Amino acid sequence: MTTAREPSDIAASDHWVEHPQGRIFARVWTPAAREISSAAVAPIVLLHDSLGCVELWRDFPAQLCATTGRRVIAYDRLGFGRSDARMAPPALDFIADEAQTFFPVLRAQLGFQRFIAFGHSVGGGMAVYCAAAFGDDCVALITESAQAFPEERTLAGVAEAKEQFKGEAQFGRLVRYHGDKARWVLDAWTETWLHPEHASWSLAPVLPQVRCPLLAIHGEHDEYGSSRHPEMIAGLCAGPSRLAIMPDTYHVPHREQPAEVLALVTAFIAQLDA
């Protein structure tokens, strides 16, 4: 484990989670001790998007840690970032599988039981499954730009990105963060979402199992999904929900409008403690 200092007196520590399928890289941001009222306070766990990793969250986790006073945990899914490579392509149920196969090991080895699930893009779907699977242990759910089904706009966006990544410069950006796993990462996204058998996938069956408070954030101009996605997520979850459609925003609100996203999330979490 290595430790570094972050802005706003935030300590960041790197960890390795041992899984039967390979090692998983995780980073934990912890606020100054005086800001933590109890070790039992549920951390915020970030689940990244289809091409993402810990490093691509950039300074958002540290800022989130500072504004909420909670630990923030982010990890590279197996096959991504610093985590070990995967040889086989992901199964078509890979979104549900993350909650069933990998997340429980992460909880056990990083030592947390209760948590707030925060997922971006496909990570939002994974966060939904985590919230459904772990019931009362999931204190709250935050989805950002999450897809609830393969909308025509979603598939068109994936197909366009697949063409763009044929360019050497664009693909080189993936290599920068995923190394020799970059091709697997790209194919895991494009080939799975464009697979004909994935067309029937939907979060609809699992959403009613989510009972915790929900905040669904979505950019007004999200190129990978219309407002139908957060509307479905908010409408079908069994717990109290809040929908936030951000104007002049596309697929990565936490990077495009970081102050606004931090304000939304911090206010939402503050209500949990009220």
Side-chain angles (χ1 to χ4, degrees):
M1 181 181 76
T2 60
T3 303
R5 299 302 297 175
E6 291 279 353
S8 304
D9 201 21
I10 302 300
S13 56
D14 293 347
H15 304 257
W16 290 99
V17 174
E18 301 293 337
H19 189 277
Q21 296 185 35
R23 292 203 311 165
I24 296 172
F25 173 74
R27 181 168 293 160
V28 180
W29 290 262
T30 305
R34 66 179 181 274
E35 298 177 30
I36 303 178
S37 59
S38 169
V41 172
I44 303 168
V45 183
L46 301 178
L47 295 100
H48 65 73
D49 63 299
S50 293
L51 301 181
C53 62
V54 169
E55 297 296 341
L56 279 168
W57 285 105
R58 300 180 183 174
D59 65 349
F60 181 73
Q63 298 299 324
L64 186 61
C65 179
T67 58
T68 62
R70 291 175 182 257
R71 282 184 300 150
V72 175
I73 299 169
Y75 71 102
D76 294 339
R77 295 199 299 274
L78 197 65
F80 297 78
R82 299 191 195 180
S83 292
D84 284 352
R86 297 178 70 172
M87 297 299 106
L92 292 179
D93 67 345
F94 74 104
I95 297 174
D97 185 60
E98 189 66 28
Q100 298 163 359
T101 302
F102 299 101
F103 197 73
V105 177
L106 192 84
R107 292 177 74 204
Q109 293 190 30
L110 293 184
F112 66 92
Q113 182 172 344
R114 299 170 72 245
F115 62 93
I116 296 171
F118 184 143
H120 172 234
S121 193
V122 75
M126 294 172 179
V128 167
Y129 272 95
C130 289
F134 299 105
D136 293 339
D137 283 342
C138 186
V139 175
L141 168 65
I142 302 166
T143 64
E144 180 193 17
S145 310
Q147 298 91 17
F149 60 97
E151 186 180 25
E152 183 177 346
R153 183 192 299 189
T154 310
L155 300 181
V158 174
E160 181 179 349
K162 181 178 178 178
E163 289 300 311
Q164 291 175 348
F165 276 103
K166 289 180 179 179
E168 183 177 344
Q170 190 81 338
F171 186 73
R173 293 175 55 215
L174 287 185
V175 174
R176 176 181 175 187
Y177 293 101
H178 303 288
D180 57 9
K181 299 187 293 289
R183 175 55 59 186
W184 183 93
V185 168
L186 180 60
D187 290 347
W189 176 40
T190 60
E191 302 313 304
T192 303
W193 277 91
L194 297 176
H195 195 290
E197 293 183 17
H198 189 63
S200 60
W201 172 81
S202 173
L203 286 179
V206 71
L207 286 169
Q209 300 172 40
V210 176
R211 302 187 301 274
C212 64
L214 160 74
L215 170 63
I217 301 171
H218 206 83
E220 178 186 19
H221 304 299
D222 190 328
E223 58 270 42
Y224 293 102
S226 70
S227 61
R228 292 173 61 195
H229 297 271
E231 290 166 357
M232 175 185 286
I233 293 170
L236 293 182
C237 279
S241 62
R242 179 185 175 189
L243 179 62
I245 305 297
M246 299 182 62
D248 303 318
T249 309
Y250 293 80
H251 189 60
V252 194
H254 69 268
R255 190 179 304 159
E256 301 165 45
Q257 309 278 359
E260 289 81 354
V261 171
L262 286 168
L264 281 169
V265 173
T266 302
F268 171 68
I269 290 177
Q271 291 179 343
L272 303 176
D273 301 325

